Amino acid sequence: MKSIAVILSGCGVFDGSEIHESVLTMLSLSKNNAEVHFFAPNESQATVINHVTGEAKTDNRNQMEEAARISRGKIAPLSSAEADKLDALIIPGGFGAAKNLCDFATRGSECEINKELLSLVRQMHQQKKPLGLMCIAPVMLPKLLNTSVELTIGNDPETIAQIEKMGGKHITCSVDNIVVDHTNKVVTTPAYMLAQSISEAEIGINKLVEKVLEMA
């Protein structure tokens, strides 16, 4: 049974992990008999958003505590993840990927990556273990791997420009497909960067999960 890390960053599209993407990832992993380990930074979210109005709130919320709502309590601090014990790593999207796991949302191509995530991903990459990132999460790849990696975030011109500024190689991709960088063992899919419904998002996410497991 393959042991897969799923990295979460809160709970909710506007300030944490995109819930549909996270659950579809979990469902696909479960259907493919993978053992899933959830991790999130044990630190505060960059922002807290009212998901009804879209307005920022003054609350302080912990990424791991919020992400535990998605994983039904089964989660550990990102700092405790050990590359040696994992076969692959998947990061769902949501603004948490661009606000909490890095600060791309505010700094674009000047962004910095969460140190714990950077360390874990680089170790897994050195061990030639596959990575799957969806939605906005792939923006982190050029800095995570410090190399020119092929990836997709769909077709948003501004985001693509920032990715290429960081040295990434963007491939335009439809919602129901994936981009595979065989050299770096990286799989990406647009998910809600393009998806108009949860059923649309599922197609690409399922392909991503199956490809990551095949490469593991």
Side-chain angles (χ1 to χ4, degrees):
M1 187 181 275
K2 305 267 170 67
S3 181
I4 314 298
V6 173
I7 311 298
L8 302 176
S9 56
C11 179
V13 57
F14 300 123
D15 58 12
S17 288
E18 213 296 322
I19 297 170
H20 296 179
E21 291 175 0
S22 302
V23 173
L24 289 169
T25 299
M26 291 156 63
L27 179 62
S28 188
L29 285 165
S30 175
K31 282 180 172 176
N32 286 283
N33 298 315
E35 183 183 31
V36 183
H37 301 274
F38 298 100
F39 300 98
N42 186 15
E43 46 196 72
S44 296
Q45 294 180 183
T47 61
V48 175
I49 303 292
N50 175 329
H51 279 61
V52 178
T53 63
E55 288 167 13
K57 300 177 73 176
T58 53
D59 303 19
N60 183 20
R61 295 195 187 183
N62 177 284
Q63 293 178 52
M64 189 171 79
E65 286 177 21
E66 291 299 302
R69 295 171 181 269
I70 297 173
S71 65
R72 295 173 62 91
K74 184 186 154 195
I75 198 163
L78 183 54
S79 56
S80 69
E82 294 177 58
D84 298 345
K85 295 183 177 174
L86 298 162
D87 296 307
L89 175 147
I90 297 177
I91 309 179
F95 271 107
K99 288 180 176 180
N100 301 332
L101 298 181
C102 71
D103 53 10
F104 180 85
T106 51
R107 295 183 62 204
S109 62
E110 298 295 307
C111 66
E112 287 180 24
I113 310 284
N114 172 291
K115 300 279 188 291
E116 292 166 358
L117 181 66
L118 189 65
S119 170
L120 176 63
V121 168
R122 288 206 172 160
Q123 283 174 50
M124 294 197 68
H125 186 58
Q126 279 162 1
Q127 293 173 15
K128 300 203 168 6
K129 291 172 176 173
L131 310 168
L133 292 86
M134 62 194 71
C135 191
I136 193 66
V139 297
M140 297 187 283
L141 281 165
K143 296 210 171 177
L144 278 170
L145 303 185
N146 197 24
T147 186
S148 179
V149 55
E150 290 188 359
L151 62 100
T152 192
I153 50 86
N155 59 18
D156 179 62
E158 280 179 45
T159 312
I160 292 168
Q162 296 295 318
I163 287 167
E164 294 185 336
K165 206 170 171 184
M166 290 187 278
K169 188 165 188 279
H170 187 271
I171 314 281
T172 301
C173 177
S174 60
V175 67
D176 57 355
N177 222 330
I178 55 175
V179 166
V180 184
D181 181 325
H182 293 280
T183 310
N184 290 300
K185 294 186 100 166
V186 172
V187 188
T188 53
T189 191
Y192 273 106
M193 289 297 280
L194 294 178
Q196 299 297 308
S197 66
I198 189 167
S199 55
E200 269 193 11
E202 184 194 17
I203 304 165
I205 290 171
N206 201 40
K207 283 183 183 173
L208 177 143
V209 168
E210 289 182 348
K211 190 66 184 175
V212 165
L213 290 172
E214 179 194 311
M215 293 170 97

